[in-house]
Amino acid sequence: MLAKINFISAGSVSFNYALNGDELTVEEGSTAIPEFAFRQNNLFLTVVLPTTLETIGRFAFDETSLTEVSLPDSLITIEQGAFRQSDLTELVVPDSVVSIGASAFDNTDLVAVRLPESLTSIGDYAFYNTPLTQVIIPESVQTLGRGAFAATNIESVVVPASFAGNLPTNAFNPGTEITLSAEAPAEEVREEPTAEAPAEEVREEPTAEAPAEEVREEPTAEAPAEEVREEPTAEAPAEEVREEPTIEPSASKSPGSPSNAASSSNTASSSSSAPSVRSALESLGAVNQVVDSIQRVVDKVIQVGDSVKLSSSDAEIIVPEKFSDLISIDHSLANKIALNAPSFVKNLDVEMQVPGLQLDAKKMAKSDIVFASGLNAELVSEVRKMKKVSISMFKGDDVVRFVDGAIMKSSVSTGQGDDQVILGQDVTVGKNSKFRLGEGSDQVDIQGEVKKMKIDLGDDRNADVVSLEAEDLISKKLKISNFNRDDRLIVDGDVFGYSDLRDNDFDRIKIGFAASSGIGKVIDSLGISELSDIL
């Protein structure tokens, strides 16, 4: 399908693109992707850009489902927020790119990035809050913005020698080991031109009097003596030799010199950090409202934004009309229905009215799934990628079983029954997903990988259990809050209670304890775990 979009932003801009399944192709001949062009558009996973492209505008692919893009060799500028909050995991920046704007890849899934030698500036928060573990800063980079690589997994980095005397410490996490490149060490550059010994030796040779005296003493004939004196006392060569080292200090004023590097770096730093990205974004609030309103009109035209209700006696499912043809419902399974979406879907509103619901989709985003009250229901998810999905339970003993896939920025809330949440071996939980346990005795069974996850055990006094097959499954952090006296944590088969956890520290598990009541404080002071221990 070929679609043409007219955008109004700093003039009238138009370009064509083709959408074929999950792939978006921008028409050849286009030199710029306008700002906000595909913002919050989740109809595609990959993008093919034209070989004529020079600029990717502000927030062009912000908050999209984009997972893969090949940047052309013609590209020069990646502007502010261009790929912010997209799902990119790897990126090769071509050798033509000169600048990467503020927050360009902020909050993406980038685990690897290659930066070119053509790059001169990296904006504030450009790669903020990404899972990067390492990066090579090219020697060509002159400006490195605040927080550019903060909130990443980078522990050590080598920066260009031109940053000597002005290390960009605020560009990385506090405590990051920063060293200068050995390509043009600042110390060696200072020593070479300022070393006086070579200059002294050069001047001493022609002016040394002893050799001159020896030469005059040997011949008695005056004429030969005069000839000999003329050679060493010729002033021109001596002057030329002295002039060579006097030229060197000007070399120390080159762009690689400490003095100029510091001043140029300071100038660049001040220009890149004023105003800050955060304040700049806040100040653009009114403008963004106008742009958003334009974007909504565009979305309405090209995406058909109306919602439809898919008829089913077992569940109420409301989806945007643009996704209705992508979803099929299977009623052939006993006591359950299956919702299948082989592609990408979002903005689903599902209310389960049957004991079982099976989800199978390539990607699901910004959707709500609600268990009807009073059912003992089971939800089985085989969604390969789940982002910003909310699952809510109410009365009943319910089960949520994640078979595989990645869970990102999503939430699961249990209800008033004894509920169970199971994360299979092929599941990865990250991007601050939150599980909130309700009033019953609930259980969370973790068999897959945890990157960042929060579990709130609730303020009830029912016994909840969090079971972790192995501590090594946690690559970053698991935070458990509201842990009370009846709750249990099982790690590698070992059971830990309230008092055990107060005396044991885990490297990647952080426990927050529930506030103690009056009697609880007395028990704490006695160093016991249960009141029955003293009876």
Side-chain angles (χ1 to χ4, degrees), residues 348-373:
L348 303 189
D349 188 358
V350 181
E351 182 179 352
M352 288 179 56
Q353 299 171 349
V354 68
L357 174 63
Q358 181 173 314
L359 298 177
D360 188 352
K362 186 172 184 179
K363 181 176 179 180
M364 180 179 292
K366 297 181 180 180
S367 299
D368 295 313
I369 301 171
V370 178
F371 285 66
S373 183

PDB file of all heavy atoms in Angstrom, residues 348-373:
ATOM      1  N   LEU A 348      -5.610  -3.071  22.527  1.00  0.00           N
ATOM      2  CA  LEU A 348      -6.678  -4.051  22.729  1.00  0.00           C
ATOM      3  C   LEU A 348      -7.298  -3.840  24.108  1.00  0.00           C
ATOM      4  O   LEU A 348      -6.618  -3.499  25.069  1.00  0.00           O
ATOM      5  CB  LEU A 348      -6.131  -5.475  22.638  1.00  0.00           C
ATOM      6  CG  LEU A 348      -5.398  -5.895  21.368  1.00  0.00           C
ATOM      7  CD1 LEU A 348      -5.131  -7.392  21.398  1.00  0.00           C
ATOM      8  CD2 LEU A 348      -6.194  -5.532  20.133  1.00  0.00           C
ATOM      9  N   ASP A 349      -8.596  -4.070  24.191  1.00  0.00           N
ATOM     10  CA  ASP A 349      -9.326  -3.994  25.459  1.00  0.00           C
ATOM     11  C   ASP A 349     -10.056  -5.314  25.615  1.00  0.00           C
ATOM     12  O   ASP A 349     -11.102  -5.539  24.980  1.00  0.00           O
ATOM     13  CB  ASP A 349     -10.294  -2.812  25.434  1.00  0.00           C
ATOM     14  CG  ASP A 349     -10.927  -2.562  26.793  1.00  0.00           C
ATOM     15  OD1 ASP A 349     -10.637  -3.336  27.725  1.00  0.00           O
ATOM     16  OD2 ASP A 349     -11.708  -1.612  26.915  1.00  0.00           O
ATOM     17  N   VAL A 350      -9.510  -6.212  26.450  1.00  0.00           N
ATOM     18  CA  VAL A 350     -10.032  -7.573  26.546  1.00  0.00           C
ATOM     19  C   VAL A 350     -10.572  -7.827  27.943  1.00  0.00           C
ATOM     20  O   VAL A 350      -9.869  -7.597  28.934  1.00  0.00           O
ATOM     21  CB  VAL A 350      -8.929  -8.610  26.232  1.00  0.00           C
ATOM     22  CG1 VAL A 350      -9.485 -10.023  26.309  1.00  0.00           C
ATOM     23  CG2 VAL A 350      -8.327  -8.345  24.854  1.00  0.00           C
ATOM     24  N   GLU A 351     -11.806  -8.311  28.027  1.00  0.00           N
ATOM     25  CA  GLU A 351     -12.369  -8.751  29.308  1.00  0.00           C
ATOM     26  C   GLU A 351     -12.665 -10.238  29.216  1.00  0.00           C
ATOM     27  O   GLU A 351     -13.484 -10.675  28.406  1.00  0.00           O
ATOM     28  CB  GLU A 351     -13.649  -8.004  29.662  1.00  0.00           C
ATOM     29  CG  GLU A 351     -14.198  -8.436  31.015  1.00  0.00           C
ATOM     30  CD  GLU A 351     -15.457  -7.682  31.413  1.00  0.00           C
ATOM     31  OE1 GLU A 351     -15.817  -6.718  30.715  1.00  0.00           O
ATOM     32  OE2 GLU A 351     -16.084  -8.061  32.426  1.00  0.00           O
ATOM     33  N   MET A 352     -11.966 -11.017  30.032  1.00  0.00           N
ATOM     34  CA  MET A 352     -12.151 -12.469  30.005  1.00  0.00           C
ATOM     35  C   MET A 352     -13.451 -12.857  30.696  1.00  0.00           C
ATOM     36  O   MET A 352     -13.702 -12.481  31.826  1.00  0.00           O
ATOM     37  CB  MET A 352     -10.972 -13.161  30.704  1.00  0.00           C
ATOM     38  CG  MET A 352      -9.676 -13.123  29.931  1.00  0.00           C
ATOM     39  SD  MET A 352      -8.330 -13.939  30.818  1.00  0.00           S
ATOM     40  CE  MET A 352      -9.031 -15.576  31.096  1.00  0.00           C
ATOM     41  N   GLN A 353     -14.272 -13.631  29.998  1.00  0.00           N
ATOM     42  CA  GLN A 353     -15.518 -14.142  30.568  1.00  0.00           C
ATOM     43  C   GLN A 353     -15.573 -15.658  30.437  1.00  0.00           C
ATOM     44  O   GLN A 353     -16.645 -16.252  30.399  1.00  0.00           O
ATOM     45  CB  GLN A 353     -16.712 -13.491  29.860  1.00  0.00           C
ATOM     46  CG  GLN A 353     -16.744 -11.979  30.003  1.00  0.00           C
ATOM     47  CD  GLN A 353     -17.789 -11.329  29.120  1.00  0.00           C
ATOM     48  OE1 GLN A 353     -18.360 -11.980  28.253  1.00  0.00           O
ATOM     49  NE2 GLN A 353     -18.037 -10.052  29.348  1.00  0.00           N
ATOM     50  N   VAL A 354     -14.413 -16.269  30.348  1.00  0.00           N
ATOM     51  CA  VAL A 354     -14.282 -17.716  30.141  1.00  0.00           C
ATOM     52  C   VAL A 354     -13.115 -18.187  30.988  1.00  0.00           C
ATOM     53  O   VAL A 354     -12.182 -17.405  31.252  1.00  0.00           O
ATOM     54  CB  VAL A 354     -14.054 -18.023  28.649  1.00  0.00           C
ATOM     55  CG1 VAL A 354     -12.693 -17.525  28.202  1.00  0.00           C
ATOM     56  CG2 VAL A 354     -14.226 -19.499  28.343  1.00  0.00           C
ATOM     57  N   PRO A 355     -13.120 -19.441  31.453  1.00  0.00           N
ATOM     58  CA  PRO A 355     -12.037 -19.912  32.323  1.00  0.00           C
ATOM     59  C   PRO A 355     -10.647 -19.889  31.699  1.00  0.00           C
ATOM     60  O   PRO A 355      -9.657 -19.956  32.423  1.00  0.00           O
ATOM     61  CB  PRO A 355     -12.452 -21.356  32.642  1.00  0.00           C
ATOM     62  CG  PRO A 355     -13.933 -21.349  32.502  1.00  0.00           C
ATOM     63  CD  PRO A 355     -14.224 -20.416  31.375  1.00  0.00           C
ATOM     64  N   GLY A 356     -10.555 -19.791  30.381  1.00  0.00           N
ATOM     65  CA  GLY A 356      -9.226 -19.804  29.787  1.00  0.00           C
ATOM     66  C   GLY A 356      -9.107 -18.887  28.579  1.00  0.00           C
ATOM     67  O   GLY A 356     -10.013 -18.805  27.745  1.00  0.00           O
ATOM     68  N   LEU A 357      -7.973 -18.163  28.497  1.00  0.00           N
ATOM     69  CA  LEU A 357      -7.685 -17.323  27.336  1.00  0.00           C
ATOM     70  C   LEU A 357      -6.225 -17.537  26.964  1.00  0.00           C
ATOM     71  O   LEU A 357      -5.338 -17.459  27.811  1.00  0.00           O
ATOM     72  CB  LEU A 357      -7.923 -15.848  27.653  1.00  0.00           C
ATOM     73  CG  LEU A 357      -7.510 -14.847  26.558  1.00  0.00           C
ATOM     74  CD1 LEU A 357      -8.317 -15.066  25.285  1.00  0.00           C
ATOM     75  CD2 LEU A 357      -7.663 -13.413  27.042  1.00  0.00           C
ATOM     76  N   GLN A 358      -6.009 -17.825  25.690  1.00  0.00           N
ATOM     77  CA  GLN A 358      -4.651 -18.025  25.201  1.00  0.00           C
ATOM     78  C   GLN A 358      -4.315 -16.926  24.209  1.00  0.00           C
ATOM     79  O   GLN A 358      -5.028 -16.722  23.228  1.00  0.00           O
ATOM     80  CB  GLN A 358      -4.534 -19.398  24.535  1.00  0.00           C
ATOM     81  CG  GLN A 358      -3.143 -19.705  24.006  1.00  0.00           C
ATOM     82  CD  GLN A 358      -3.030 -21.128  23.501  1.00  0.00           C
ATOM     83  OE1 GLN A 358      -3.482 -22.061  24.163  1.00  0.00           O
ATOM     84  NE2 GLN A 358      -2.426 -21.303  22.335  1.00  0.00           N
ATOM     85  N   LEU A 359      -3.203 -16.212  24.465  1.00  0.00           N
ATOM     86  CA  LEU A 359      -2.764 -15.125  23.598  1.00  0.00           C
ATOM     87  C   LEU A 359      -1.555 -15.570  22.790  1.00  0.00           C
ATOM     88  O   LEU A 359      -0.595 -16.117  23.338  1.00  0.00           O
ATOM     89  CB  LEU A 359      -2.383 -13.887  24.421  1.00  0.00           C
ATOM     90  CG  LEU A 359      -3.466 -13.232  25.261  1.00  0.00           C
ATOM     91  CD1 LEU A 359      -2.863 -12.073  26.047  1.00  0.00           C
ATOM     92  CD2 LEU A 359      -4.596 -12.734  24.388  1.00  0.00           C
ATOM     93  N   ASP A 360      -1.611 -15.325  21.494  1.00  0.00           N
ATOM     94  CA  ASP A 360      -0.480 -15.640  20.628  1.00  0.00           C
ATOM     95  C   ASP A 360      -0.322 -14.490  19.643  1.00  0.00           C
ATOM     96  O   ASP A 360      -1.164 -14.280  18.774  1.00  0.00           O
ATOM     97  CB  ASP A 360      -0.726 -16.948  19.879  1.00  0.00           C
ATOM     98  CG  ASP A 360       0.505 -17.418  19.105  1.00  0.00           C
ATOM     99  OD1 ASP A 360       1.484 -16.640  19.047  1.00  0.00           O
ATOM    100  OD2 ASP A 360       0.483 -18.536  18.566  1.00  0.00           O
ATOM    101  N   ALA A 361       0.762 -13.705  19.802  1.00  0.00           N
ATOM    102  CA  ALA A 361       0.992 -12.550  18.932  1.00  0.00           C
ATOM    103  C   ALA A 361       2.477 -12.304  18.804  1.00  0.00           C
ATOM    104  O   ALA A 361       3.267 -12.678  19.684  1.00  0.00           O
ATOM    105  CB  ALA A 361       0.295 -11.312  19.485  1.00  0.00           C
ATOM    106  N   LYS A 362       2.853 -11.672  17.692  1.00  0.00           N
ATOM    107  CA  LYS A 362       4.253 -11.305  17.502  1.00  0.00           C
ATOM    108  C   LYS A 362       4.628 -10.196  18.466  1.00  0.00           C
ATOM    109  O   LYS A 362       5.684 -10.218  19.080  1.00  0.00           O
ATOM    110  CB  LYS A 362       4.486 -10.857  16.057  1.00  0.00           C
ATOM    111  CG  LYS A 362       5.939 -10.591  15.721  1.00  0.00           C
ATOM    112  CD  LYS A 362       6.124 -10.351  14.248  1.00  0.00           C
ATOM    113  CE  LYS A 362       7.595 -10.172  13.897  1.00  0.00           C
ATOM    114  NZ  LYS A 362       7.792  -9.957  12.440  1.00  0.00           N
ATOM    115  N   LYS A 363       3.746  -9.215  18.598  1.00  0.00           N
ATOM    116  CA  LYS A 363       3.958  -8.143  19.556  1.00  0.00           C
ATOM    117  C   LYS A 363       2.619  -7.543  19.939  1.00  0.00           C
ATOM    118  O   LYS A 363       1.748  -7.338  19.094  1.00  0.00           O
ATOM    119  CB  LYS A 363       4.869  -7.058  18.987  1.00  0.00           C
ATOM    120  CG  LYS A 363       5.119  -5.935  19.992  1.00  0.00           C
ATOM    121  CD  LYS A 363       6.103  -4.908  19.480  1.00  0.00           C
ATOM    122  CE  LYS A 363       6.291  -3.802  20.504  1.00  0.00           C
ATOM    123  NZ  LYS A 363       7.250  -2.778  20.049  1.00  0.00           N
ATOM    124  N   MET A 364       2.486  -7.246  21.232  1.00  0.00           N
ATOM    125  CA  MET A 364       1.284  -6.602  21.748  1.00  0.00           C
ATOM    126  C   MET A 364       1.703  -5.409  22.599  1.00  0.00           C
ATOM    127  O   MET A 364       2.607  -5.517  23.429  1.00  0.00           O
ATOM    128  CB  MET A 364       0.459  -7.585  22.579  1.00  0.00           C
ATOM    129  CG  MET A 364      -0.815  -7.005  23.169  1.00  0.00           C
ATOM    130  SD  MET A 364      -1.750  -8.247  24.124  1.00  0.00           S
ATOM    131  CE  MET A 364      -2.265  -9.345  22.798  1.00  0.00           C
ATOM    132  N   ALA A 365       1.050  -4.274  22.375  1.00  0.00           N
ATOM    133  CA  ALA A 365       1.438  -3.062  23.095  1.00  0.00           C
ATOM    134  C   ALA A 365       0.202  -2.284  23.531  1.00  0.00           C
ATOM    135  O   ALA A 365      -0.855  -2.356  22.901  1.00  0.00           O
ATOM    136  CB  ALA A 365       2.334  -2.185  22.226  1.00  0.00           C
ATOM    137  N   LYS A 366       0.363  -1.547  24.623  1.00  0.00           N
ATOM    138  CA  LYS A 366      -0.643  -0.607  25.112  1.00  0.00           C
ATOM    139  C   LYS A 366      -2.031  -1.233  25.157  1.00  0.00           C
ATOM    140  O   LYS A 366      -3.003  -0.690  24.623  1.00  0.00           O
ATOM    141  CB  LYS A 366      -0.651   0.653  24.246  1.00  0.00           C
ATOM    142  CG  LYS A 366       0.661   1.426  24.283  1.00  0.00           C
ATOM    143  CD  LYS A 366       0.619   2.687  23.435  1.00  0.00           C
ATOM    144  CE  LYS A 366       1.941   3.430  23.493  1.00  0.00           C
ATOM    145  NZ  LYS A 366       1.931   4.663  22.671  1.00  0.00           N
ATOM    146  N   SER A 367      -2.132  -2.377  25.803  1.00  0.00           N
ATOM    147  CA  SER A 367      -3.398  -3.114  25.860  1.00  0.00           C
ATOM    148  C   SER A 367      -3.755  -3.440  27.301  1.00  0.00           C
ATOM    149  O   SER A 367      -2.881  -3.482  28.174  1.00  0.00           O
ATOM    150  CB  SER A 367      -3.294  -4.406  25.035  1.00  0.00           C
ATOM    151  OG  SER A 367      -3.037  -4.120  23.674  1.00  0.00           O
ATOM    152  N   ASP A 368      -5.058  -3.651  27.548  1.00  0.00           N
ATOM    153  CA  ASP A 368      -5.571  -3.980  28.875  1.00  0.00           C
ATOM    154  C   ASP A 368      -6.314  -5.302  28.818  1.00  0.00           C
ATOM    155  O   ASP A 368      -7.201  -5.498  27.974  1.00  0.00           O
ATOM    156  CB  ASP A 368      -6.509  -2.884  29.384  1.00  0.00           C
ATOM    157  CG  ASP A 368      -5.779  -1.565  29.608  1.00  0.00           C
ATOM    158  OD1 ASP A 368      -4.712  -1.577  30.227  1.00  0.00           O
ATOM    159  OD2 ASP A 368      -6.290  -0.527  29.153  1.00  0.00           O
ATOM    160  N   ILE A 369      -5.954  -6.214  29.743  1.00  0.00           N
ATOM    161  CA  ILE A 369      -6.620  -7.516  29.839  1.00  0.00           C
ATOM    162  C   ILE A 369      -7.163  -7.643  31.254  1.00  0.00           C
ATOM    163  O   ILE A 369      -6.413  -7.544  32.232  1.00  0.00           O
ATOM    164  CB  ILE A 369      -5.643  -8.662  29.530  1.00  0.00           C
ATOM    165  CG1 ILE A 369      -5.062  -8.488  28.116  1.00  0.00           C
ATOM    166  CG2 ILE A 369      -6.324 -10.008  29.658  1.00  0.00           C
ATOM    167  CD1 ILE A 369      -3.944  -9.441  27.798  1.00  0.00           C
ATOM    168  N   VAL A 370      -8.459  -7.871  31.365  1.00  0.00           N
ATOM    169  CA  VAL A 370      -9.126  -7.890  32.672  1.00  0.00           C
ATOM    170  C   VAL A 370      -9.816  -9.234  32.861  1.00  0.00           C
ATOM    171  O   VAL A 370     -10.534  -9.711  31.966  1.00  0.00           O
ATOM    172  CB  VAL A 370     -10.152  -6.747  32.785  1.00  0.00           C
ATOM    173  CG1 VAL A 370     -10.876  -6.819  34.121  1.00  0.00           C
ATOM    174  CG2 VAL A 370      -9.464  -5.397  32.616  1.00  0.00           C
ATOM    175  N   PHE A 371      -9.612  -9.862  34.020  1.00  0.00           N
ATOM    176  CA  PHE A 371     -10.316 -11.085  34.379  1.00  0.00           C
ATOM    177  C   PHE A 371     -11.690 -10.721  34.929  1.00  0.00           C
ATOM    178  O   PHE A 371     -11.792  -9.876  35.821  1.00  0.00           O
ATOM    179  CB  PHE A 371      -9.547 -11.859  35.450  1.00  0.00           C
ATOM    180  CG  PHE A 371      -8.320 -12.572  34.959  1.00  0.00           C
ATOM    181  CD1 PHE A 371      -7.223 -11.874  34.498  1.00  0.00           C
ATOM    182  CD2 PHE A 371      -8.259 -13.958  34.968  1.00  0.00           C
ATOM    183  CE1 PHE A 371      -6.093 -12.519  34.054  1.00  0.00           C
ATOM    184  CE2 PHE A 371      -7.125 -14.622  34.525  1.00  0.00           C
ATOM    185  CZ  PHE A 371      -6.039 -13.904  34.071  1.00  0.00           C
ATOM    186  N   ALA A 372     -12.732 -11.340  34.413  1.00  0.00           N
ATOM    187  CA  ALA A 372     -14.065 -11.110  34.967  1.00  0.00           C
ATOM    188  C   ALA A 372     -14.106 -11.593  36.412  1.00  0.00           C
ATOM    189  O   ALA A 372     -13.514 -12.621  36.761  1.00  0.00           O
ATOM    190  CB  ALA A 372     -15.121 -11.823  34.131  1.00  0.00           C
ATOM    191  N   SER A 373     -14.781 -10.838  37.272  1.00  0.00           N
ATOM    192  CA  SER A 373     -14.810 -11.144  38.691  1.00  0.00           C
ATOM    193  C   SER A 373     -15.530 -12.461  38.955  1.00  0.00           C
ATOM    194  O   SER A 373     -16.581 -12.750  38.383  1.00  0.00           O
ATOM    195  CB  SER A 373     -15.517 -10.010  39.445  1.00  0.00           C
ATOM    196  OG  SER A 373     -15.502 -10.250  40.824  1.00  0.00           O
TER     197      SER A 373
END
